[in-house]
Structures are given as structure tokens and as C-alpha cells.
Amino acid sequence: VLLLIAAGMNIILEETSSSEVVGTPKRGFLDLEMRMNISKASTASFKGENVGDYSGWCVSDAGDVNGDGYDDILIGSKYNDDGGDKSGKTYLLFGKASGWSLDINLSTGADASFIGENEDDNSSFSLSGAGDVNGDGYDDILIGAKNNDEGGEDTGQTYLFFGKSTGWSKDINLGSADASFWGENVDDSSGYSVSGAGDVNGDGYDD
């Protein structure tokens, strides 16, 4: 997973397709070359723990889950085996003003992580910030496990974790989520896609 931070760049004002922006544009980015290796343009990058983890399968903005004023990052490894074969794992990295680097190993670089409950759950298949669903001032997160079987074979399950200032840890089992939601029927694959909805009913809580 690569993190690119755009700072001190000009925006290309004319309408162009990617194939048209070749060589040196008349007006465009100050510091980036066209067709350069993305690692050279990256501020930070994050490596999976194990062969076959599929780290970076899903990544998402988490919002500010710990209330420090910096937005945070979710990175999914849907085939990680820590909770069983292909149970999946989600990594949470807190935002910060400095200290980013390339080739950060997620096993040591993540501030928190969440492992799937069962083998073949594919947890972290989908990830999203949820906004602040309980109104405590901290953003919350959603983790989808589309092949979870607790409601029936491949019904899927979505997990909600509330944000908080402290108390985060690594290898949190998704079974300890603050709330979770099963699919209705066999093969529904609920959790295939998850997302915050904003405050759709105007009650002051994100949905």
C-alpha cells in the first residue's frame, strides 16, 4: 500500500486524459515526473506480514478514530491466516504530522489490528469509516467479512467498532466488536461492501 501526499503541486487546468499527460505538461505538477515509479512519488508505503496475505486488497479513510486531530487509515489483508486460513485481518494506522516512511511492515507499523473470527471469513474484504454513529466525538469504523457463516453459510457479517482515545491494541478478535450485523440468507455475502451513510435522518448521529 502506498500513501501519496499532494503538497505544493499545481492542478492541471485543461481537460486531459491519462494518455495525453505525457512528457512535460505545459502546466501541471511541480515535483512529479510523468510515468515515474509510484514508489518514488510516495510519502509512505506499507507491506503485508506474510506471503499470500493480499495486503492492500481494500483500503479506506477511517476518519479520526482516536480524536487526536489527524485522520487515520484502514488497510485490509483479506487472506491473512492469523485467525484461521483466510480469516483476514484489518490494520489501523493513526495519522500523524511526521514520521512516515517507505516499506513499513504492518506487523509492527500498525497501531491496532483486527483478526477474522473464523477461517475463510475474508474479513477486511471491505472497509470504511462510519463517521460518528454514537455521538461520542470519535469516528467509528466498519469491517466487512463477506464469507462469515454465523448466520448461515456465507451470509456474511459486518462489524462496527466505536472510536476512542486510548485502549487500542493489536490482534483484536472481531468477535469483540461493539456491534455486528449478519446477512439475512445463505450466500448473501453481507459485508461485501460497507460504508458510512452520513446522518440521513438528521438526528445528529451518523448512520
Side-chain angles (χ1 to χ4, degrees):
V1 177
L2 297 169
L3 174 64
L4 288 83
I5 297 178
M9 297 180 182
N10 293 327
I11 303 300
I12 296 175
L13 300 178
E14 296 176 345
E15 290 187 6
T16 55
S17 69
S18 59
S19 61
E20 292 172 328
V21 184
V22 178
T24 305
K26 292 181 180 179
R27 50 186 179 274
F29 301 106
L30 293 178
D31 301 317
L32 300 183
E33 303 170 8
M34 297 301 104
R35 294 179 174 174
M36 72 188 301
N37 188 308
I38 193 171
S39 64
K40 295 180 180 179
S42 302
T43 300
S45 63
F46 311 91
K47 301 191 298 185
E49 292 190 72
N50 311 297
V51 171
D53 271 6
Y54 274 54
S55 166
W57 169 264
C58 185
V59 296
S60 178
D61 171 26
D64 183 7
V65 300
N66 61 339
D68 63 357
Y70 297 95
D71 285 335
D72 309 312
I73 302 169
L74 293 168
I75 299 175
S77 294
K78 67 169 185 167
Y79 286 160
N80 179 279
D81 297 332
D82 286 4
D85 186 41
K86 297 180 181 177
S87 56
K89 189 170 186 176
T90 301
Y91 304 87
L92 173 63
L93 294 96
F94 296 149
K96 54 189 176 183
S98 59
W100 300 99
S101 63
L102 295 175
D103 297 330
I104 298 169
N105 193 299
L106 289 172
S107 64
T108 55
D111 295 286
S113 59
F114 310 85
I115 57 175
E117 293 191 81
N118 310 296
E119 65 177 28
D120 294 321
D121 271 5
N122 283 184
S123 74
S124 81
F125 189 90
S126 183
L127 302 168
S128 181
D132 183 6
V133 301
N134 61 337
D136 63 355
Y138 299 96
D139 287 328
D140 310 312
I141 60 173
L142 293 167
I143 298 174
K146 73 180 185 73
N147 295 128
N148 180 275
D149 296 330
E150 290 187 37
E153 185 176 2
D154 289 341
T155 50
Q157 188 165 185
T158 298
Y159 303 87
L160 171 65
F161 285 88
F162 296 148
K164 54 190 177 183
S165 60
T166 59
W168 298 99
S169 61
K170 294 184 179 180
D171 296 335
I172 299 168
N173 190 288
L174 289 177
S176 64
D178 293 290
S180 64
F181 312 89
W182 292 346
E184 291 189 76
N185 308 299
V186 169
D187 293 327
D188 270 2
S189 294
S190 170
Y192 185 95
S193 181
V194 299
S195 178
D199 182 6
V200 301
N201 61 338
D203 63 354
Y205 298 92
D206 287 326
D207 309 313

